[in-house]
């Protein structure tokens, strides 16, 4: 009998993996089959499996997602084979088609605008603001002193703490101040480094108010609310763009010349600049590529998405992250977004495939990876908008999805070949494939 689903399980994380599997399998109709299925995705080598088990808690198995590559991604004259981890059928094909297209038109251009990351200590304090302002230089020295051991290695690599700023935010929340700290974390994403520094600063702050004689008794208490990096990284910014003469877009679609295509494309992107519903989908197409490379290289795609979407609202409402410029008879398409990435530390070295991906990309620095990833985001975005304003996305999308539908019906290789030929010029849908397979099998 399946276990009741509202049962609270105490101490689950401390159980042995086999026991966890057993408990979970009790939720399934066929327990033995369920355990076999989960185990079938384990690494054969227990040492390798242990690495994965230890990434997270309560690990039962591994969840596979396809790892593909987009060749011909030319960025600033250098060509990369870019790894993408994604389940959506058309993303790698779209990135590859766009990369190939632009490789014949000068490739992608990219520049890193800045690489600064930020963290905050948020606190409530009821004292005299002027005293805090005048003591802030002294406080900064103490902050730096307190983190000497943490920053030593980062400083050797050319990074470290950049600056501190005291923000008086009492108009927003009673007694609320913030210490905003900027960091350079070089090739590491730097989340642990930043958070460790911030937690030290909060200790220093507490002691400072308590022990400094300038503060009266009633000013000695500080309420540290939290110390944490900000995933909004508008100063860790990259720009990628493509450009060509209108004539070089002539052959994209039979029904329009290059200039007409460029103008229709511009209107499509303008719509994503003024309409939030379209902007969200438009940007989703950008993150199709960005997330896929971020995952393949062991980067935190949630942090990247959060920063990107926040950046998309910087003008007061949510807009497209990419923009078209048609001045001087040229089509110029650009994408600017924050990308806080790492190419050393964290999962980049622990996950064997993340390590592999970085090696395949020529062991890039974090700024180099920012440019590659921005180029892939733009590549996917270009492919999506190109399809939308010409043949629509369903033709390509459903062709790619055809194999998934055929797999659902457990089609044989022979059936797949026949179906691929049959649907070459036809609309693909689940119902039509179902119908076709039934006819083929004389059901
Ligand atoms: C699908 O994953 C992404 C698109 O919807 C993006 C877009 O509409 O621009 C095709």
């Amino acid at each position: 009998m399946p276990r009741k689903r509202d049962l609270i399980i105490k101490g689950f994380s401390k159980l042995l993996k086999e026991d966890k599997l057993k408990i979970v399998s009790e939720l399934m109709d066929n327990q033995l089959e369920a355990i076999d299925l989960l185990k079938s995705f384990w690494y054969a080598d227990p040492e390798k499996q242990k690495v994965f088990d230890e990434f997270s808690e309560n690990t039962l198995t591994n969840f596979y997602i396809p790892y593909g590559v987009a060749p011909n991604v030319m960025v600033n004259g250098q060509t990369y084979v870019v790894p993408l981890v994604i389940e959506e059928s058309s993303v790698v094909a779209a990135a590859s088609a766009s990369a190939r297209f632009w490789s014949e038109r000068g490739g992608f251009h990219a520049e890193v605008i800045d690489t600064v990351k930020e963290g905050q200590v948020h606190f409530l304090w009821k004292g005299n603001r002027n005293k805090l302002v005048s003591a802030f230089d002294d406080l900064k020295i103490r902050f730096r002193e307190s983190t000497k051991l943490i920053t030593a290695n980062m400083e050797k690599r050319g990074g470290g703490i950049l600056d501190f700023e005291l923000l008086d935010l009492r108009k927003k929340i009673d007694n609320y101040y913030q210490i905003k700290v900027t960091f350079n974390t070089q090739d590491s994403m730097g989340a642990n480094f930043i958070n460790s520094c911030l937690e030290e600063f909060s200790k220093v702050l507490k002691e400072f108010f308590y022990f400094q004689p300038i503060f009266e008794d009633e000013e000695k208490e500080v309420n540290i609310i939290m110390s944490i990096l900000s995933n909004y990284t508008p100063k860790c910014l990259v720009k990628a763009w493509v450009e060509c003469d209108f004539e070089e877009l002539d052959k994209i679609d039979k029904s329009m010349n290059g200039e007409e295509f460029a103008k229709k494309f511009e209107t499509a992107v303008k719509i994503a600049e003024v309409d939030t519903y379209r902007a969200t989908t438009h940007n989703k197409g950008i993150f199709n590529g960005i997330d896929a490379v971020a995952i393949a290289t062991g980067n935190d795609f949630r942090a990247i998405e959060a920063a990107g979407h926040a950046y998309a609202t910087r003008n007061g409402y949510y807009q497209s992250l990419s923009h078209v410029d048609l001045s001087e008879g040229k089509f110029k398409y650009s994408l600017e977004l924050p990308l806080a990435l790492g190419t050393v530390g964290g999962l980049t070295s622990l996950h064997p495939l993340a390590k592999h991906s970085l090696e395949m990309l020529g062991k890039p620095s974090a700024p180099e990876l920012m440019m590659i990833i921005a180029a892939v985001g733009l590549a996917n975005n270009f492919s999506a908008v190109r399809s939308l304003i010409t043949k629509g996305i369903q033709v390509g999308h459903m062709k790619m999805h055809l194999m998934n539908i055929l797999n659902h019906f457990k089609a044989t290789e022979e059936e797949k070949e026949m179906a691929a030929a049959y649907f070459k010029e036809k609309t693909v849908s689940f119902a039509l494939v179902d119908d076709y397979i039934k006819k083929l099998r004389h059901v």
Side-chain angles (χ1 to χ4, degrees):
M1 271 298 282
R3 171 182 285 261
K4 272 170 75 184
R5 276 155 218 264
D6 57 358
L7 198 68
I8 298 297
I9 307 166
K10 285 193 184 143
F12 187 80
S13 67
K14 295 189 184 69
L15 297 176
L16 292 173
K17 192 167 161 184
E18 287 289 343
D19 293 331
K20 289 177 189 166
L21 276 173
K22 209 165 149 275
I23 291 174
V24 169
S25 73
E26 283 164 11
L27 296 166
M28 311 300 290
D29 294 336
N30 187 328
Q31 294 180 24
L32 290 180
E33 228 177 58
I35 293 181
D36 280 352
L37 174 81
L38 293 177
K39 285 189 173 178
S40 72
F41 287 94
W42 286 2
Y43 265 106
D45 176 350
E47 278 310 303
K48 280 192 183 153
Q49 184 53 47
K50 199 161 168 273
V51 173
F52 281 82
D53 287 351
E54 288 172 3
F55 283 158
S56 177
E57 191 166 276
N58 295 340
T59 314
L60 301 180
T61 188
N62 310 305
F63 188 98
Y64 288 10
I65 296 184
Y67 177 112
V69 293
N72 309 313
V73 180
M74 193 194 280
V75 186
N76 294 340
Q78 167 128 18
T79 307
Y80 301 90
V81 176
V82 179
L84 296 107
V85 171
I86 186 132
E87 85 300 345
E88 193 177 324
S89 346
S90 54
V91 171
V92 178
S96 306
S98 185
R100 180 74 206 282
F101 180 86
W102 285 107
S103 70
E104 288 158 6
R105 290 161 181 79
F108 296 90
H109 310 272
E111 66 180 11
V112 170
I113 298 165
D114 215 337
T115 57
V116 175
K117 292 164 188 166
E118 296 180 37
Q120 301 159 307
V121 178
H122 305 267
F123 63 98
L124 302 182
W125 184 63
K126 287 187 185 151
N128 177 336
R129 173 190 173 272
N130 292 341
K131 284 190 196 170
L132 179 56
V133 172
S134 60
F136 198 59
D137 281 342
D138 181 17
L139 198 50
K140 284 196 233 177
I141 295 169
R142 289 164 195 260
F143 283 153
R144 285 193 189 272
E145 277 294 318
S146 72
T147 47
K148 266 195 159 153
L149 284 178
I150 305 174
T151 55
N153 260 337
M154 190 61 87
E155 281 169 8
K156 269 189 218 146
R157 292 193 268 137
I161 299 162
L162 299 176
D163 208 357
F164 300 89
E165 196 185 344
L166 174 68
L167 303 180
D168 177 355
L169 298 166
R170 289 175 299 166
K171 283 201 177 121
K172 297 197 172 177
I173 298 176
D174 285 350
N175 309 316
Y176 172 37
Y177 291 88
Q178 192 187 102
I179 292 171
K180 195 169 183 180
V181 193
T182 45
F183 298 86
N184 174 338
T185 61
Q186 290 293 40
D187 285 334
S188 64
M189 200 278 189
N192 284 332
F193 169 74
I194 294 176
N195 289 335
S196 302
C197 288
L198 293 169
E199 289 192 2
E200 284 307 313
F201 302 153
S202 67
K203 286 182 210 155
V204 170
L205 195 62
K206 236 181 155 103
E207 284 173 11
F208 192 73
F209 285 122
Y210 198 81
F211 290 111
Q212 285 307 297
I214 53 163
F215 298 115
E216 311 291 333
D217 279 356
E218 62 276 13
E219 294 176 311
K220 291 193 181 304
E221 277 298 313
V222 58
N223 185 357
I224 307 279
I225 303 296
M226 59 192 158
S227 308
I228 183 77
L229 93 171
S230 171
N231 282 124
Y232 187 43
T233 52
K235 291 185 194 144
C236 190
L237 203 62
V238 61
K239 183 172 175 174
W241 68 98
V242 285
E243 57 186 325
C244 69
D245 294 332
F246 290 153
E247 301 82 74
E248 291 186 78
L249 305 171
D250 271 346
K251 293 210 176 91
I252 290 185
D253 192 74
K254 281 189 210 119
S255 69
M256 43 188 152
N257 67 25
E259 187 170 352
E260 286 160 345
F261 171 85
K263 287 191 173 145
K264 193 168 180 190
F265 197 104
E266 183 193 34
T267 308
V269 178
K270 275 195 175 149
I271 291 170
E273 284 167 358
V274 299
D275 180 79
T276 300
Y277 285 86
R278 175 58 203 149
T280 308
T281 320
H282 180 96
N283 289 344
K284 188 270 183 186
I286 294 173
F287 284 105
N288 271 346
I290 290 185
D291 286 358
V293 191
I295 296 171
T297 54
N299 275 284
D300 180 345
F301 63 96
R302 285 90 55 213
I304 292 169
E305 286 251 3
H309 295 300
Y311 193 68
T313 65
R314 69 194 179 285
N315 294 327
Y317 57 100
Y318 188 86
Q319 285 183 293
S320 153
L321 286 164
S322 55
H323 303 282
V324 179
D325 174 3
L326 298 187
S327 55
E328 295 162 21
K330 276 192 182 293
F331 172 82
K332 184 169 174 185
Y333 196 38
S334 62
L335 166 68
E336 184 187 285
L337 86 166
L339 278 179
L341 302 174
T343 54
V344 297
L347 215 62
T348 61
S349 40
L350 289 174
H351 196 299
L353 285 177
K355 214 169 154 189
H356 171 90
S357 297
L358 289 165
E359 194 177 330
M360 215 165 81
L361 291 170
K363 301 190 180 161
S365 63
E368 196 180 346
L369 187 61
M370 285 167 79
M371 294 192 279
I372 298 168
I373 293 190
V376 174
L378 187 64
N380 273 98
N381 182 221
F382 176 79
S383 267
V385 178
R386 175 176 65 179
S387 298
L388 288 169
I389 65 163
T390 55
K391 56 186 189 279
I393 59 152
Q394 282 311 91
V395 188
H397 208 85
M398 292 311 286
K399 284 271 171 312
M400 296 298 300
H401 196 49
L402 175 62
M403 283 304 143
N404 290 338
I405 304 174
L406 289 167
N407 284 335
H408 174 87
F409 292 114
K410 297 193 169 33
T412 62
E413 285 311 308
E414 200 186 345
E415 285 172 336
K416 281 182 187 172
E417 253 176 53
M418 287 164 78
Y422 177 81
F423 283 102
K424 200 157 190 266
E425 302 297 331
K426 292 188 180 61
T427 309
V428 177
S429 78
F430 192 86
L432 289 172
V433 177
D434 184 17
D435 203 39
Y436 175 79
I437 287 286
K438 278 190 182 129
K439 279 196 187 119
L440 210 62
R441 291 174 180 168
H442 309 291
V443 183

